[in-house]
Amino acid sequence: MNSLKVEHAESQGNIVRDCPGTKDHICCGYKTIDLIEGCALSCSYCILKAYLNTPAITIHDDIPYITSQIDDMTGRETRHILRFGTGELSDSLALDRRYKLNRPLVEFFGERKNALLELKSKWAYIDHLIPHLNPYTIISFSIAPQRIIDEEEKRTSPLYKRLKTARKAQDAGCFVGLHFDPIIICPGFEKDYHYLIEDISRILDMDRIIWLSLGLLRFPPKLLGHYMEHNRRNLLYGEFIRGEDGKMRYIKQQRIKVYTMLYKMLKKKNKGLFIYFCMEREDVWRKVTGMTVKDDDALMTLFDERIKHLYGGKI
Amino acid sequence: MKTIPLNDIDLNDRRFCISYPLEDEALTGSIGEIGIVQPVLLLDASPLVTITGFRRITSAKKLGLANIPAIIKKVRADEALLLSIHDNLGRGLNMVEKAYALEKMAGAGFSRQKIFGIMALLSLNPHEKVLGSFVAIANEEKPLKDFIVRHGASMKNIEYLLKFDAQERKGIISLLSPLHITDSLLREILEMLILMKIRKGAVNLRGLHTSSDGRDLKARLKKKNYPILSSMEKKFLAVKQRCALPPHIDIKVDPFFEKEYIDILLKIKSENDVKAAMEKLKAILEDGYIRSILELTQG
């Protein structure tokens, strides 16, 4: 990562934003903090290839500017407990050992106690943050079977390191989040996920997983040509259609089948686990979980209940 | 200008030839009728070497002409190649001819700046990767070149064709050659073949050679590449057929079975039409056909 071109940009405009979501799919109402734009990890499927024009990494490190925007957003919100994350346009932890951008945010959320900060990553290193961690920071890892990590996430930390680091965060008093995203349908993936879930239940305290998201691979159509050009067999193995939002997704029948399998496997390990879908349709929610989650607000309410259940009156 | 015997020209020396194909029936017919109007350009060497006019010379040879009008020029080889390229620019080169021009320039050691300058004149993106693709086309086998010229294939489709190995490409060209297909349809077909190759590791053309036209071929490929979607479409059409809907009633679903709801369309001219439509809908509802369709759209 030493050859990376990193630019420090003057902060202007909205660094803290609503997650853009996607048309006709249910969004969890996440708030994104674009602390860093661009990613050093270069996963083969990464949609940043379609959204960001430059290979350089841009850092917005005017923390007072950012925290004032966070204060503004939490001050305006009257109904829901807000969740903020820095992992939308970058990996939250990959550059943090060097640039130490998260520490002031971790401390800020620990002082405010009115919202949660999620650091979402595939880079398993949090030792520099441990002395500063507090329950208002969620350490999250995107999780995939090791075979997928080997082939599609080559510059990232191996699975066992991510899980061990998540455990370290739990032991430091944090809740952790897990994101099965993207789930890639390829030969033998069912078995891979079976073992993956076994590993999670063995290494982590399942009661201290605050949320777990499921998101099957989806991408803007222009990445289809990119995947074809680079012979990404795993990424192209399933049957893709163009969804109502214009993005390429696995055909709904396949999505329901895979989500149902994973949902059942996970619930079998821990009935109380809070599982949600990232950008899915209302009918898929209903078919897989039996729950009616009719819109973004309904999903945000489920998050509120989950957070209140775990934090009591401390938030 | 001089009149030169064909025997004085080395007809096998094609250093400066960028024309493809060399045979041109219309030109041969024209020369047969009124002779060669524009003299060819020859390099002053012994024997003489053609700089421009390869097609005229090919036609003349075919017609059995002994002499042709020519201008003899004393220039260096690199200048001769540029003369050949510039002389042909005006008529609009096909993709293979552009490939020959660039490949010969690269082979003759022209600087990148000079080559990129010619690429701009040929309306090509002056980029190393594009140059690489054109050099590859120039070195490809004849059936591919013929296919490119005959179908007026775009650069995107040529790049797709180059993604297959020689054996696969041979099969694909023999599959596509008899069909009349537009460039956009060709692109869809090639994308599906590439997808098949990436997924299965090989291209399976079994059952495709009997395709009646490009659309039929595309449909057959879709069935191979999208088995779930194809089977859902088949089930939907079968249920619709069993419904035996009259012309003024139609049931439509999302083409990818993504939307949960279905559309029922009625064309109504009178109250009686409404009554008849309601009765028909009631019947297909009771027969369970609506439920069968909803099962498909609900996954």
Side-chain angles (χ1 to χ4, degrees), chain A residues 1 13 33 43 50 64 66 69 85 126 129 146 161 167 200 202 222 230 237-238 240 262 268 277 289 299:
Chain A
M1 269 185 265
I33 307 170
C43 299
I66 293 168
Q69 289 192 353
I126 57 164
L129 278 176
Q146 187 56 47
K161 274 198 177 177
R167 179 71 211 205
I200 290 169
R202 204 180 59 250
K222 66 173 165 181
H230 292 85
Y237 184 79
F240 287 97
L262 294 173
K268 206 171 159 191
F277 303 108
T289 68
L299 179 54

mmCIF file of all heavy atoms in Angstrom, chain A residues 1 13 33 43 50 64 66 69 85 126 129 146 161 167 200 202 222 230 237-238 240 262 268 277 289 299:
data_model
loop_
_atom_site.group_PDB
_atom_site.id
_atom_site.type_symbol
_atom_site.label_atom_id
_atom_site.label_comp_id
_atom_site.label_asym_id
_atom_site.label_seq_id
_atom_site.Cartn_x
_atom_site.Cartn_y
_atom_site.Cartn_z
ATOM 1 N N MET A 1 0.817 -1.208 0.000
ATOM 2 C CA MET A 1 0.000 0.000 0.000
ATOM 3 C C MET A 1 0.857 1.266 0.000
ATOM 4 O O MET A 1 0.340 2.367 0.022
ATOM 5 C CB MET A 1 -0.927 0.000 1.198
ATOM 6 C CG MET A 1 -2.268 -0.646 0.889
ATOM 7 S SD MET A 1 -3.386 -0.511 2.250
ATOM 8 C CE MET A 1 -3.118 -2.057 3.055
ATOM 9 N N GLY A 13 -18.881 21.197 1.468
ATOM 10 C CA GLY A 13 -20.118 20.477 1.154
ATOM 11 C C GLY A 13 -20.420 19.430 2.204
ATOM 12 O O GLY A 13 -19.865 19.430 3.304
ATOM 13 N N ILE A 33 -20.266 8.790 6.391
ATOM 14 C CA ILE A 33 -19.264 9.838 6.605
ATOM 15 C C ILE A 33 -18.139 9.570 5.605
ATOM 16 O O ILE A 33 -17.443 8.567 5.712
ATOM 17 C CB ILE A 33 -18.694 9.793 8.049
ATOM 18 C CG1 ILE A 33 -19.828 9.820 9.087
ATOM 19 C CG2 ILE A 33 -17.700 10.929 8.276
ATOM 20 C CD1 ILE A 33 -19.369 9.536 10.517
ATOM 21 N N CYS A 43 -10.826 -4.887 -4.235
ATOM 22 C CA CYS A 43 -11.551 -6.150 -4.415
ATOM 23 C C CYS A 43 -12.097 -6.199 -5.848
ATOM 24 O O CYS A 43 -12.477 -5.172 -6.399
ATOM 25 C CB CYS A 43 -12.682 -6.253 -3.403
ATOM 26 S SG CYS A 43 -12.053 -6.229 -1.721
ATOM 27 N N ALA A 50 -16.812 1.740 -10.477
ATOM 28 C CA ALA A 50 -17.785 2.408 -11.346
ATOM 29 C C ALA A 50 -18.095 3.817 -10.881
ATOM 30 O O ALA A 50 -18.463 4.665 -11.673
ATOM 31 C CB ALA A 50 -19.078 1.592 -11.393
ATOM 32 N N PRO A 64 -13.411 18.663 13.063
ATOM 33 C CA PRO A 64 -14.471 19.549 13.583
ATOM 34 C C PRO A 64 -15.570 19.825 12.553
ATOM 35 O O PRO A 64 -16.743 19.880 12.886
ATOM 36 C CB PRO A 64 -13.718 20.834 13.949
ATOM 37 C CG PRO A 64 -12.307 20.408 14.160
ATOM 38 C CD PRO A 64 -12.073 19.284 13.222
ATOM 39 N N ILE A 66 -16.506 17.787 10.214
ATOM 40 C CA ILE A 66 -17.303 16.552 10.095
ATOM 41 C C ILE A 66 -18.207 16.373 11.316
ATOM 42 O O ILE A 66 -19.404 16.092 11.179
ATOM 43 C CB ILE A 66 -16.366 15.331 9.901
ATOM 44 C CG1 ILE A 66 -15.673 15.443 8.535
ATOM 45 C CG2 ILE A 66 -17.124 14.020 10.023
ATOM 46 C CD1 ILE A 66 -14.519 14.486 8.332
ATOM 47 N N GLN A 69 -21.266 18.414 11.295
ATOM 48 C CA GLN A 69 -22.311 17.878 10.411
ATOM 49 C C GLN A 69 -23.035 16.700 11.075
ATOM 50 O O GLN A 69 -24.246 16.533 10.913
ATOM 51 C CB GLN A 69 -21.713 17.440 9.073
ATOM 52 C CG GLN A 69 -21.269 18.619 8.225
ATOM 53 C CD GLN A 69 -20.947 18.220 6.781
ATOM 54 O OE1 GLN A 69 -20.918 17.051 6.420
ATOM 55 N NE2 GLN A 69 -20.692 19.232 5.953
ATOM 56 N N GLY A 85 -21.520 5.559 9.372
ATOM 57 C CA GLY A 85 -20.429 4.657 8.995
ATOM 58 C C GLY A 85 -19.466 5.339 8.045
ATOM 59 O O GLY A 85 -19.844 6.237 7.296
ATOM 60 N N ILE A 126 -7.051 -3.436 14.740
ATOM 61 C CA ILE A 126 -7.694 -2.387 15.554
ATOM 62 C C ILE A 126 -6.879 -2.078 16.821
ATOM 63 O O ILE A 126 -7.347 -1.335 17.684
ATOM 64 C CB ILE A 126 -9.136 -2.773 15.971
ATOM 65 C CG1 ILE A 126 -9.145 -4.104 16.753
ATOM 66 C CG2 ILE A 126 -10.068 -2.822 14.774
ATOM 67 C CD1 ILE A 126 -10.448 -4.340 17.511
ATOM 68 N N LEU A 129 -6.688 1.319 18.116
ATOM 69 C CA LEU A 129 -7.963 1.927 18.540
ATOM 70 C C LEU A 129 -8.448 1.391 19.886
ATOM 71 O O LEU A 129 -9.270 2.021 20.551
ATOM 72 C CB LEU A 129 -9.051 1.630 17.493
ATOM 73 C CG LEU A 129 -9.117 2.519 16.248
ATOM 74 C CD1 LEU A 129 -10.196 2.001 15.305
ATOM 75 C CD2 LEU A 129 -9.423 3.969 16.627
ATOM 76 N N GLN A 146 -13.288 -18.083 2.859
ATOM 77 C CA GLN A 146 -11.869 -17.846 2.565
ATOM 78 C C GLN A 146 -11.551 -18.017 1.081
ATOM 79 O O GLN A 146 -10.714 -17.313 0.523
ATOM 80 C CB GLN A 146 -10.990 -18.773 3.412
ATOM 81 C CG GLN A 146 -9.494 -18.488 3.312
ATOM 82 C CD GLN A 146 -9.135 -17.046 3.669
ATOM 83 O OE1 GLN A 146 -9.592 -16.505 4.676
ATOM 84 N NE2 GLN A 146 -8.331 -16.405 2.817
ATOM 85 N N LYS A 161 -8.501 -13.900 10.640
ATOM 86 C CA LYS A 161 -8.001 -12.668 11.278
ATOM 87 C C LYS A 161 -9.142 -11.692 11.505
ATOM 88 O O LYS A 161 -9.188 -10.995 12.519
ATOM 89 C CB LYS A 161 -6.926 -12.015 10.399
ATOM 90 C CG LYS A 161 -5.552 -12.553 10.645
ATOM 91 C CD LYS A 161 -4.509 -11.592 10.093
ATOM 92 C CE LYS A 161 -3.115 -12.105 10.406
ATOM 93 N NZ LYS A 161 -2.090 -11.245 9.837
ATOM 94 N N ARG A 167 -13.565 -10.548 17.564
ATOM 95 C CA ARG A 167 -13.628 -11.058 18.945
ATOM 96 C C ARG A 167 -12.881 -10.113 19.903
ATOM 97 O O ARG A 167 -13.329 -9.851 21.020
ATOM 98 C CB ARG A 167 -13.013 -12.464 18.993
ATOM 99 C CG ARG A 167 -12.992 -13.101 20.363
ATOM 100 C CD ARG A 167 -14.402 -13.464 20.773
ATOM 101 N NE ARG A 167 -14.603 -13.391 22.214
ATOM 102 C CZ ARG A 167 -15.538 -14.079 22.858
ATOM 103 N NH1 ARG A 167 -16.361 -14.873 22.208
ATOM 104 N NH2 ARG A 167 -15.679 -13.956 24.152
ATOM 105 N N ILE A 200 -17.926 -18.561 12.707
ATOM 106 C CA ILE A 200 -18.429 -17.376 13.418
ATOM 107 C C ILE A 200 -18.945 -17.780 14.795
ATOM 108 O O ILE A 200 -18.626 -17.157 15.808
ATOM 109 C CB ILE A 200 -19.551 -16.693 12.591
ATOM 110 C CG1 ILE A 200 -18.953 -16.046 11.341
ATOM 111 C CG2 ILE A 200 -20.306 -15.655 13.424
ATOM 112 C CD1 ILE A 200 -19.992 -15.578 10.329
ATOM 113 N N ARG A 202 -18.183 -20.255 16.547
ATOM 114 C CA ARG A 202 -17.122 -20.771 17.417
ATOM 115 C C ARG A 202 -16.261 -19.628 17.976
ATOM 116 O O ARG A 202 -15.880 -19.636 19.134
ATOM 117 C CB ARG A 202 -16.250 -21.751 16.614
ATOM 118 C CG ARG A 202 -15.518 -22.776 17.466
ATOM 119 C CD ARG A 202 -14.666 -23.719 16.657
ATOM 120 N NE ARG A 202 -13.663 -23.025 15.872
ATOM 121 C CZ ARG A 202 -13.686 -22.917 14.549
ATOM 122 N NH1 ARG A 202 -14.654 -23.473 13.859
ATOM 123 N NH2 ARG A 202 -12.724 -22.265 13.917
ATOM 124 N N LYS A 222 -22.436 -1.245 -15.954
ATOM 125 C CA LYS A 222 -21.142 -1.057 -16.632
ATOM 126 C C LYS A 222 -20.032 -1.942 -16.048
ATOM 127 O O LYS A 222 -19.018 -2.155 -16.691
ATOM 128 C CB LYS A 222 -20.742 0.409 -16.684
ATOM 129 C CG LYS A 222 -20.431 1.100 -15.399
ATOM 130 C CD LYS A 222 -19.884 2.498 -15.760
ATOM 131 C CE LYS A 222 -19.870 3.402 -14.564
ATOM 132 N NZ LYS A 222 -19.375 4.733 -14.868
ATOM 133 N N HIS A 230 -12.210 -9.204 -17.378
ATOM 134 C CA HIS A 230 -11.227 -9.783 -16.466
ATOM 135 C C HIS A 230 -11.539 -11.234 -16.089
ATOM 136 O O HIS A 230 -10.992 -11.752 -15.113
ATOM 137 C CB HIS A 230 -11.100 -8.909 -15.216
ATOM 138 C CG HIS A 230 -10.487 -7.576 -15.514
ATOM 139 N ND1 HIS A 230 -11.233 -6.512 -15.947
ATOM 140 C CD2 HIS A 230 -9.205 -7.159 -15.508
ATOM 141 C CE1 HIS A 230 -10.428 -5.476 -16.158
ATOM 142 N NE2 HIS A 230 -9.192 -5.840 -15.907
ATOM 143 N N TYR A 237 -20.927 -16.302 -12.327
ATOM 144 C CA TYR A 237 -21.467 -17.659 -12.324
ATOM 145 C C TYR A 237 -22.999 -17.691 -12.230
ATOM 146 O O TYR A 237 -23.667 -18.468 -12.901
ATOM 147 C CB TYR A 237 -20.846 -18.456 -11.165
ATOM 148 C CG TYR A 237 -21.272 -19.889 -11.137
ATOM 149 C CD1 TYR A 237 -20.686 -20.814 -12.001
ATOM 150 C CD2 TYR A 237 -22.262 -20.329 -10.265
ATOM 151 C CE1 TYR A 237 -21.082 -22.135 -11.995
ATOM 152 C CE2 TYR A 237 -22.663 -21.647 -10.254
ATOM 153 C CZ TYR A 237 -22.071 -22.557 -11.120
ATOM 154 O OH TYR A 237 -22.467 -23.851 -11.111
ATOM 155 N N GLY A 238 -23.561 -16.825 -11.401
ATOM 156 C CA GLY A 238 -25.018 -16.835 -11.195
ATOM 157 C C GLY A 238 -25.770 -16.220 -12.358
ATOM 158 O O GLY A 238 -25.181 -15.769 -13.340
ATOM 159 N N PHE A 240 -27.871 -13.324 -13.697
ATOM 160 C CA PHE A 240 -28.161 -11.922 -13.391
ATOM 161 C C PHE A 240 -29.275 -11.351 -14.264
ATOM 162 O O PHE A 240 -29.379 -11.691 -15.444
ATOM 163 C CB PHE A 240 -26.912 -11.051 -13.591
ATOM 164 C CG PHE A 240 -25.883 -11.260 -12.526
ATOM 165 C CD1 PHE A 240 -24.816 -12.112 -12.731
ATOM 166 C CD2 PHE A 240 -26.014 -10.627 -11.302
ATOM 167 C CE1 PHE A 240 -23.879 -12.336 -11.733
ATOM 168 C CE2 PHE A 240 -25.083 -10.838 -10.302
ATOM 169 C CZ PHE A 240 -24.010 -11.695 -10.521
ATOM 170 N N LEU A 262 -29.299 -19.039 4.165
ATOM 171 C CA LEU A 262 -28.399 -18.380 5.124
ATOM 172 C C LEU A 262 -29.150 -17.922 6.377
ATOM 173 O O LEU A 262 -28.651 -18.048 7.498
ATOM 174 C CB LEU A 262 -27.702 -17.186 4.464
ATOM 175 C CG LEU A 262 -26.722 -17.544 3.338
ATOM 176 C CD1 LEU A 262 -26.223 -16.291 2.636
ATOM 177 C CD2 LEU A 262 -25.531 -18.328 3.885
ATOM 178 N N LYS A 268 -30.431 -20.634 13.336
ATOM 179 C CA LYS A 268 -30.226 -21.898 14.035
ATOM 180 C C LYS A 268 -29.098 -21.745 15.064
ATOM 181 O O LYS A 268 -29.124 -22.338 16.134
ATOM 182 C CB LYS A 268 -29.872 -22.979 13.015
ATOM 183 C CG LYS A 268 -30.225 -24.380 13.462
ATOM 184 C CD LYS A 268 -30.043 -25.330 12.309
ATOM 185 C CE LYS A 268 -29.871 -26.744 12.825
ATOM 186 N NZ LYS A 268 -29.446 -27.657 11.786
ATOM 187 N N PHE A 277 -31.424 -7.267 5.386
ATOM 188 C CA PHE A 277 -30.953 -7.343 3.995
ATOM 189 C C PHE A 277 -30.551 -5.957 3.536
ATOM 190 O O PHE A 277 -31.248 -4.978 3.816
ATOM 191 C CB PHE A 277 -32.054 -7.880 3.073
ATOM 192 C CG PHE A 277 -32.558 -9.220 3.484
ATOM 193 C CD1 PHE A 277 -33.813 -9.366 4.036
ATOM 194 C CD2 PHE A 277 -31.757 -10.339 3.354
ATOM 195 C CE1 PHE A 277 -34.263 -10.599 4.456
ATOM 196 C CE2 PHE A 277 -32.201 -11.572 3.766
ATOM 197 C CZ PHE A 277 -33.454 -11.706 4.316
ATOM 198 N N THR A 289 -38.128 -13.926 5.607
ATOM 199 C CA THR A 289 -38.202 -13.802 7.071
ATOM 200 C C THR A 289 -39.615 -13.960 7.614
ATOM 201 O O THR A 289 -39.794 -14.131 8.814
ATOM 202 C CB THR A 289 -37.692 -12.413 7.515
ATOM 203 O OG1 THR A 289 -38.622 -11.420 7.056
ATOM 204 C CG2 THR A 289 -36.319 -12.101 6.957
ATOM 205 N N LEU A 299 -37.757 -0.452 8.462
ATOM 206 C CA LEU A 299 -36.478 -1.101 8.766
ATOM 207 C C LEU A 299 -35.704 -0.300 9.818
ATOM 208 O O LEU A 299 -35.105 -0.877 10.738
ATOM 209 C CB LEU A 299 -35.642 -1.269 7.485
ATOM 210 C CG LEU A 299 -34.269 -1.911 7.655
ATOM 211 C CD1 LEU A 299 -34.357 -3.260 8.384
ATOM 212 C CD2 LEU A 299 -33.580 -2.124 6.303
#
